[in-house]
Amino acid sequence: MFFLLLVLTLLLPGCSVWQRVTGQGADADADAAAGEGRAAFTLEVQAPDAVRGLLERHLELQRFRQLPDLQEGELQRLLARADEDARELLATQGYFSPSIAIETQAAPAGAAAARVVRLRVDPGPQTRVVRADIGFVGHSVGAQRDTPVGRPGAPESGARQLQRVQRSWELPPGQPFTQAGWDAAKKESLHQLQARRYAAARIESSRADIDADSNEATLSVLYDPGPAYFFGPLRIEGSRRYDPEGARRIARLPTGSLYSEAQMLDAQQRLAASGYYDTAFLLLDTAAPDPGAAPVVAQVREAPLQKYVFGAGISTDAGPRLSVDHIHNRVPGIGWRAVSRLALDDKDKLLGTELMDLPDESGWRWFGSAKLQREDTGDYRVNSGRLRTGRSKSDLRIDRSYFLQYDNAHSQGLNPPPTSSALSVNTTWTGRYFNSNLAPTRGYGLGLELGAGSTLGEHHEPYARSLLRWQWFVPLGRVEGEDGRGRRSRLAVRTELGAVLARTDAPVPVTELFLTGGDATVRGYAYRSIGARTENDQLYGGRYLAVGSVEWQRPMLRDGRVSDWENTFFIDAGAVADRVHALDPRVGVGTGVRWRSPVGPLQADLAYGVRVHSLRLHMRLGFNF
């Protein structure tokens, strides 16, 4: 018995040492020892910038620095493992023949650690790709006929798609070989196949042959595209409260056409944005026996028939804001969807409602709306009312509408303009061709509003109104961190042009005129503080509008990595007048920061208004066009 206790006493400390060497329990030991005596060692990595950050962050040796009771024998075993660990890390970046030297020395008295471990690394030449063979099981991508035959998606157009996959391979000859780049290239080409026509495509085989002596990599990937898929019927799962036929009309899936991931996501987005469903997820049934008519399954979770949505916020333009929305997804008697809204802030009070029918087979729907509003317009307080009725259609990229509109506006203040009203016919078109509608970094948007009508009252005066909006994100140079990851900087160019054409004395309602200035227009000036002047020199809406802005947006580095923050420099200019020759631009310049939040960019800008000689802080959340 005594002998057994003696053996256990000798073995148990050894088990503890073994756990620390193998890494089991190392974190616990490190936490317990932190702050108790001197650390075991400090680690110095001497290597080129291209790999130093990688080694400093990911070497396993880093985990054991804070162990004050680390014995010399344990340290030597860790150093031997560190050599192998460093070579594995360097290999992921294409360095397969590095020179690595590890040395230790005692630290001077009073130092934070007992030893200094120095890792000297010469990574050697980086391996480069000399050949990349991309093939497809059962498909030839050689010569093809000029005129496709048969239904859309015939073999000829399929061959063109395979050729595009080959041409766009992301790791071509001449490029440095890295494990991350190799994995990403395979995944990207697979996604290109699966995104259109070949929904069940897969990687049949892949191989990367590395010649460490010549630092050359030969790559080969064989894809199995599988059959070409075409959209079959849409099957709704989870529908209880709302008619499945209505969901099909909202989704507008192009049944019978060639499978396209983008078109399926468009249909999914229309369902999710309709308000009838809290969630909607579309999936192509690739297990169906006939790929020429593969069903699409829509898994939906229905929204409640009625709900209230409360909101609160704050902006530098209008101060604190409170709102409440009431949504009824099936109004008794007509079955339309109604969204009613009450919103209050320092400058604007609004009460309104909008009714919308389900879209027809082509996607067009009837709508009607009414709103009452009390807002500051220049130097006046304006009470206004508006009625609209017409048809609209919304796709993922394009919104269109045409409608009949009635406006009435009554101004209050010093010598206010007379009360006015008008009836007009209008059409709007908005195209959003951004890479993301939430936080775009490239692409453009274009919006156009056209209207023609007549003032009402004692004298009827005709007028026409137009408004053009344009925004363009121009990619510039790429900003990269030490890990090789990065994002492009960009220019954000924006312009807005508006005009109301009418007789000089025509009493056009102020709600049809223009004001500008504020967070989203001309920074450095108060919200809607740029306008025309009445005969009494009071600020009021004008008939002509011109706004322009150029903003440089650049990702910021943090700890050597590209962060979710960006720095901006901008110049804005805007003018409003009742005559074109009287347009006198107000200019604002400044700088700011952007944070890429989950709900869109959060921006904070400090702008200097050149005309008013003052600084103004502007804050805004989200992107709208």
Side-chain angles (χ1 to χ4, degrees):
M1 184 66 177
F2 176 80
F3 178 78
L4 178 60
L5 290 174
L6 179 62
V7 171
L8 291 175
T9 302
L10 293 174
L11 287 180
L12 286 175
C15 293
S16 175
V17 171
W18 172 250
Q19 285 184 344
R20 288 199 299 271
V21 173
T22 58
Q24 298 177 10
D27 292 337
D29 288 343
D31 292 341
E36 298 179 5
R38 303 173 75 191
F41 60 88
T42 57
L43 178 62
E44 295 180 2
V45 178
Q46 297 180 355
D49 293 343
V51 297
R52 185 174 62 250
L54 173 74
L55 296 171
E56 288 176 340
R57 284 190 296 271
H58 298 294
L59 274 173
E60 281 290 317
L61 192 60
Q62 295 276 22
R63 300 174 56 203
F64 301 92
R65 290 179 302 147
Q66 300 299 324
L67 295 178
D69 57 345
L70 187 67
Q71 301 300 313
E72 186 65 28
E74 297 177 63
L75 178 60
Q76 293 305 317
R77 286 190 288 272
L78 290 172
L79 295 180
R81 176 69 184 92
D83 182 275
E84 181 183 353
D85 186 25
R87 292 180 185 276
E88 291 175 355
L89 289 171
L90 292 168
T92 65
Q93 301 303 304
Y95 299 99
F96 293 96
S97 53
S99 294
I100 300 175
I102 303 177
E103 61 182 37
T104 63
Q105 66 181 51
R115 309 174 187 83
V116 175
V117 175
R118 190 170 291 109
L119 182 72
R120 290 192 173 93
V121 176
D122 178 4
Q126 190 175 25
T127 297
R128 291 188 174 272
V129 178
V130 295
R131 182 174 177 178
D133 296 324
I134 315 301
F136 307 94
V137 174
H139 290 263
S140 172
V141 292
Q144 54 183 299
R145 294 158 60 173
D146 294 332
T147 305
V149 296
R151 66 189 297 180
E156 288 77 8
S157 58
R160 284 195 291 271
Q161 179 179 348
L162 301 184
Q163 286 181 330
R164 284 195 299 270
V165 171
Q166 288 181 325
R167 288 195 301 266
S168 61
W169 173 252
E170 291 190 346
L171 204 57
Q175 291 294 312
F177 174 86
T178 66
Q179 186 63 47
W182 169 232
D183 292 339
K186 290 187 291 184
K187 290 179 181 178
E188 174 59 25
S189 293
L190 180 62
H191 179 259
Q192 289 183 37
L193 289 170
Q194 294 174 339
R196 180 173 176 80
R197 183 179 285 104
Y198 301 116
R202 62 185 182 88
I203 298 176
E204 178 74 13
S205 63
S206 65
R207 183 180 179 86
D209 291 321
I210 308 297
D211 187 337
D213 294 331
S214 61
N215 302 298
E216 295 178 344
T218 301
L219 311 179
S220 63
V221 186
L222 184 63
Y223 292 96
D224 182 1
Y229 281 85
F230 293 79
F231 285 124
L234 179 63
R235 186 169 69 243
I236 309 296
E237 294 183 356
S239 181
R240 300 290 184 272
R241 185 178 294 113
Y242 307 120
D243 184 4
E245 182 57 33
R248 295 186 184 95
R249 287 158 57 186
I250 293 171
R252 299 199 308 279
L253 192 74
T255 303
S257 64
L258 186 71
Y259 166 77
S260 165
E261 181 184 62
Q263 287 184 313
M264 191 170 72
L265 291 177
D266 286 355
Q268 177 176 296
Q269 175 64 22
R270 284 191 286 269
L271 281 173
S274 67
Y276 292 97
Y277 305 99
D278 288 334
T279 61
F281 180 73
L282 269 61
L283 179 68
L284 185 74
D285 185 3
T286 56
D290 181 12
V296 177
V297 179
Q299 299 172 340
V300 300
R301 188 178 71 198
E302 294 181 324
L305 187 63
Q306 296 188 65
K307 66 178 179 180
Y308 287 91
V309 179
F310 297 91
I314 187 170
S315 75
T316 49
D317 277 344
R321 181 180 65 256
L322 295 174
S323 66
V324 57
D325 293 345
H326 173 255
I327 300 171
H328 197 307
N329 278 327
R330 194 168 58 218
V331 176
I334 59 175
W336 289 20
R337 184 171 187 262
V339 179
S340 302
R341 179 176 179 82
L342 172 65
L344 306 170
D345 61 40
D346 285 348
K347 297 181 180 295
D348 193 359
K349 283 77 178 171
L350 181 145
L351 175 64
T353 188
E354 183 174 24
L355 293 164
M356 293 164 286
D357 189 13
L358 281 170
D360 59 21
E361 296 294 338
S362 63
W364 287 93
R365 68 168 73 194
W366 289 99
F367 73 90
S369 67
K371 76 172 183 179
L372 297 174
Q373 191 168 12
R374 181 178 176 85
E375 61 181 333
D376 290 344
T377 300
D379 289 334
Y380 297 97
R381 177 62 58 88
V382 176
N383 298 318
S384 64
R386 171 172 288 175
L387 297 174
R388 276 184 180 177
T389 182
R391 303 193 78 191
S392 66
K393 181 178 181 179
S394 294
D395 294 324
L396 185 64
R397 293 192 180 277
I398 298 176
D399 294 341
R400 287 166 284 184
S401 67
Y402 57 86
F403 53 88
L404 182 67
Q405 176 173 298
Y406 168 78
D407 285 282
N408 179 272
H410 173 69
S411 300
Q412 297 176 323
L414 180 64
N415 298 318
T419 298
S420 56
S421 58
L423 187 66
S424 60
V425 177
N426 301 267
T427 183
T428 67
W429 185 96
T430 303
R432 301 177 183 88
Y433 300 94
F434 304 110
N435 62 329
S436 167
N437 287 333
L438 186 66
T441 57
R442 64 178 184 274
Y444 68 94
L446 182 66
L448 180 63
E449 300 177 15
L450 296 174
S454 172
T455 63
L456 304 177
E458 185 177 352
H459 300 287
H460 292 190
E461 296 287 350
Y463 73 94
R465 183 181 187 275
S466 63
L467 178 65
L468 174 68
R469 297 178 298 117
W470 177 67
Q471 182 152 11
W472 184 27
F473 290 93
V474 187
L476 299 178
R478 180 178 172 86
V479 178
E480 290 189 354
E482 295 176 357
D483 56 359
R485 298 181 180 180
R487 293 197 312 275
R488 282 181 173 272
S489 60
R490 71 201 72 88
L491 281 181
V493 183
R494 171 172 51 85
T495 190
E496 193 172 359
L497 301 172
V500 174
L501 304 178
R503 288 168 54 98
T504 303
D505 58 350
V508 179
V510 68
T511 49
E512 293 281 79
L513 303 179
F514 303 107
L515 286 168
T516 192
D519 299 344
T521 53
V522 184
R523 288 160 288 188
Y525 299 83
Y527 178 59
R528 299 182 61 170
S529 63
I530 302 173
R533 295 283 175 176
T534 66
E535 295 178 354
N536 301 310
D537 198 34
Q538 297 294 295
L539 184 66
Y540 200 60
R543 297 190 177 190
Y544 294 95
L545 164 74
V547 174
S549 172
V550 177
E551 179 175 292
W552 180 48
Q553 303 172 350
R554 186 180 187 276
M556 298 170 64
L557 296 177
R558 184 177 181 183
D559 296 329
R561 300 183 183 184
V562 174
S563 69
D564 288 331
W565 290 86
E566 295 184 341
N567 177 229
T568 67
F569 296 92
F570 58 85
I571 178 169
D572 299 341
V576 175
D578 279 331
R579 296 176 178 82
V580 174
H581 67 267
L583 289 171
D584 184 14
R586 268 60 169 172
V587 177
V589 296
T591 184
V593 293
R594 303 283 182 274
W595 176 53
R596 294 160 56 92
S597 79
V599 294
L602 172 63
Q603 66 182 54
D605 297 321
L606 185 62
Y608 176 75
V610 176
R611 183 65 61 91
V612 294
H613 306 291
S614 65
L615 287 171
R616 181 174 289 270
L617 177 66
H618 298 271
M619 299 187 69
R620 189 181 179 207
L621 176 62
F623 171 81
N624 291 305
F625 182 85

